[in-house]
Amino acid sequence: VVERLIVARYDDRAAALELADASDLVTYELEHIDATAVEVIAERLPVRPGLAALQATQDRLAERRFLEEQGAAVAGWRAVGSMKELEQAAKVIGLPARLKASFGGYDGRSQARLAEAADLAGAFEALGSGARPLLFEREVDFAAELSVVCARSLSGQTRPFPTTRNRHDEGILVESVAPAPVAPEVAERAQALVAQLAAGLGLVGLLTAELFVLKDGRLLVNELAPRVHNSGHWTLDGCDTNQFEQHIRAICGLPLGSVSMTAPAVAMVNLLGQGEDRPARLLGLAEAAADPAVHITLYDKRRVFERRKMGHLTALATTADEALALARMHVVDQHVGALQQLVEQVAPFPAAKIRGDRALVGVETEVKTALLGIGLVSREGAARAREVAVGRLNLDYVRAEVGEHLRAARGG
């Protein structure tokens, strides 16, 4: 959908100038690009969301300093560049904590959990032994994870999307629901905070903030992203104006669009890859495609591997619980359907049985990569899925458990 494509490294200044010469306006969709390349472009034409927003969000230490300057609460943190500094931070700030690379990394990558003092040395070495300063950050005991995507126009007008509640598993977003089922006052404070941060950055475009709600109702900022965000993908089907269109409206100086929701509640569940790196093949979404309350978005990724984001499924309903239960049910159906088809492809296997649309499937360990996506059910539930006999997986409990949630959400 473009007239011209320039492929180059993020730090290729010559390619950046080539892009500038062919453009009236430049934007970026990832904060890991090289700031000097953006600076070169910015000398010739507008770059939005802006160089300052990029510099403040691509460096976790700079991000923490900016947040504190804005009066936003963050978890206890310290920059560390040596084992001595790391040990001191652990003593002063406390454990458990997270040690994170200051640059790069997303979806839980480039960081390590520090549960006890014995974890310090290994984590420090794994993250480069202080070649670049690291972020030591106290782990937070939170009540909920939230995010807000907020647009800011050329004139300084801000328009946040509804506050979203998220759930992550090992750093990867699993599901989101909007509007967030939290107290309205908390949701409104979250929106106001992100609008303030967007103004503080002088940003034109979108700013996403991931937040923690503490058990006493306080908000802590976990992370900023000057772009569209995975937790805002539900807006494709759930808002009058989706986050992608809103970004283009903002950077082009057009009026910001309505962020009114198209249904009382919307839930999104990510479709995560499973198993080893291999060509991608979509299976098991026929039932979801036939449901008028469900929308499927695929990312056209040609290869799949463990926990890679391959797409998402969005469900619209009258309540958050019903929307989330519906989305989960269809994602489980996708995994069950894919498993059924996989077993048929590799048959004959001992004890392989498929009963209608109910799955009680015995398979050998060679097809263990067809397990349910991590995070769709509780860890306790995932453990129950594995029968004592090696290589056998009982999925009946999944349909029973998710079906129970759905019936409860619909009032029996």
Side-chain angles (χ1 to χ4, degrees), residues 161-179:
F161 285 88
T163 302
T164 303
R165 188 192 69 190
N166 306 311
R167 187 167 67 85
H168 291 77
D169 183 82
E170 296 182 2
I172 295 181
L173 181 65
V174 174
E175 60 190 27
S176 300
V177 61

Side-chain angles (χ1 to χ4, degrees), residues 164-167 173-178 229-237 243 265-271 295 297 299 309 311-316 320 323-324 327-328 331 376:
T164 303
R165 188 192 69 190
N166 306 311
R167 187 167 67 85
L173 181 65
V174 174
E175 60 190 27
S176 300
V177 61
H229 197 262
N230 190 182
S231 68
H233 286 352
W234 64 268
T235 63
L236 283 166
D237 306 297
Q243 62 172 347
V266 181
M268 182 205 74
V269 176
N270 273 331
L271 300 173
H295 303 268
T297 302
Y299 304 155
K309 293 175 180 175
H312 66 266
L313 186 150
T314 306
L316 282 64
L324 195 52
R328 286 173 174 170
V331 173
L376 294 178

Side-chain angles (χ1 to χ4, degrees), residues 63-346:
E63 182 179 81
R64 290 298 178 274
R65 296 185 185 106
F66 165 74
L67 289 168
E68 291 188 335
E69 288 169 2
Q70 291 291 310
V74 295
W77 68 278
R78 181 172 291 190
V80 299
S82 67
M83 266 303 298
K84 183 177 180 180
E85 291 178 347
L86 177 57
E87 290 168 350
Q88 182 66 14
K91 289 180 181 178
V92 174
I93 299 176
L95 297 173
R98 301 273 174 170
L99 188 63
K100 303 178 180 181
S102 53
F103 283 82
Y106 64 98
D107 284 349
R109 300 179 179 93
S110 298
Q111 62 177 268
R113 185 173 189 269
L114 308 173
E116 55 188 11
D119 298 331
L120 300 183
F124 187 70
E125 181 178 358
L127 292 174
S129 299
R132 298 186 81 162
L134 302 171
L135 171 66
F136 177 94
E137 189 169 50
R138 187 75 162 89
E139 195 167 274
V140 176
D141 183 18
F142 56 85
E145 299 174 90
L146 304 180
S147 63
V148 175
V149 180
C150 181
R152 185 171 183 269
S153 71
L154 272 170
S155 66
Q157 178 190 18
T158 56
R159 183 161 295 172
F161 285 88
T163 302
T164 303
R165 188 192 69 190
N166 306 311
R167 187 167 67 85
H168 291 77
D169 183 82
E170 296 182 2
I172 295 181
L173 181 65
V174 174
E175 60 190 27
S176 300
V177 61
V182 296
E185 179 268 336
V186 172
E188 291 167 7
R189 277 196 290 119
Q191 291 175 308
L193 173 58
V194 182
Q196 173 202 327
L197 296 175
L201 288 169
L203 172 145
V204 176
L206 295 188
L207 178 68
T208 303
E210 296 184 61
L211 311 164
F212 293 129
V213 184
L214 302 188
K215 293 175 181 178
D216 61 4
R218 288 183 296 141
L219 293 172
L220 297 187
V221 180
N222 179 42
E223 191 169 274
L224 300 179
R227 54 174 169 82
V228 297
H229 197 262
N230 190 182
S231 68
H233 286 352
W234 64 268
T235 63
L236 283 166
D237 306 297
C239 273
D240 289 344
T241 308
N242 67 61
Q243 62 172 347
F244 298 94
E245 179 185 340
Q246 195 77 301
H247 176 72
I248 298 301
R249 283 171 171 263
I251 66 173
C252 291
L254 299 172
L256 298 180
S258 164
V259 294
S260 295
M261 295 182 61
T262 59
V266 181
M268 182 205 74
V269 176
N270 273 331
L271 300 173
L272 302 179
Q274 304 161 353
E276 61 187 18
D277 191 335
R278 64 194 186 281
R281 182 183 177 194
L282 179 65
L283 298 169
L285 281 175
E287 290 186 22
D291 191 330
V294 173
H295 303 268
I296 304 164
T297 302
L298 303 176
Y299 304 155
D300 198 28
K301 296 178 180 179
R302 302 307 171 90
R303 299 198 67 82
V304 60
F305 49 80
E306 188 69 23
R307 295 167 69 76
R308 189 182 197 195
K309 293 175 180 175
M310 303 301 294
H312 66 266
L313 186 150
T314 306
L316 282 64
T318 55
T319 69
D321 285 344
E322 184 178 346
L324 195 52
L326 182 60
R328 286 173 174 170
M329 171 66 83
H330 279 298
V331 173
V332 168
D333 282 342
Q334 186 261 324
H335 286 287
V336 170
L339 180 57
Q340 290 175 337
Q341 294 179 53
L342 180 58
V343 170
E344 291 170 351
Q345 291 167 17
V346 299

Side-chain angles (χ1 to χ4, degrees), residues 14-62:
L17 289 174
E18 184 182 353
L19 177 64
D21 290 340
S23 307
D24 296 314
L25 167 69
V26 170
T27 189
Y28 51 83
E29 64 170 4
L30 188 68
E31 59 269 28
H32 302 311
I33 57 177
D34 187 74
T36 58
V38 175
E39 192 171 8
V40 166
I41 297 175
E43 292 174 354
R44 298 196 178 189
L45 73 166
V47 177
R48 298 169 185 151
L51 181 60
L54 177 67
Q55 292 171 327
T57 56
Q58 69 177 188
D59 177 352
R60 286 188 172 101
L61 299 174

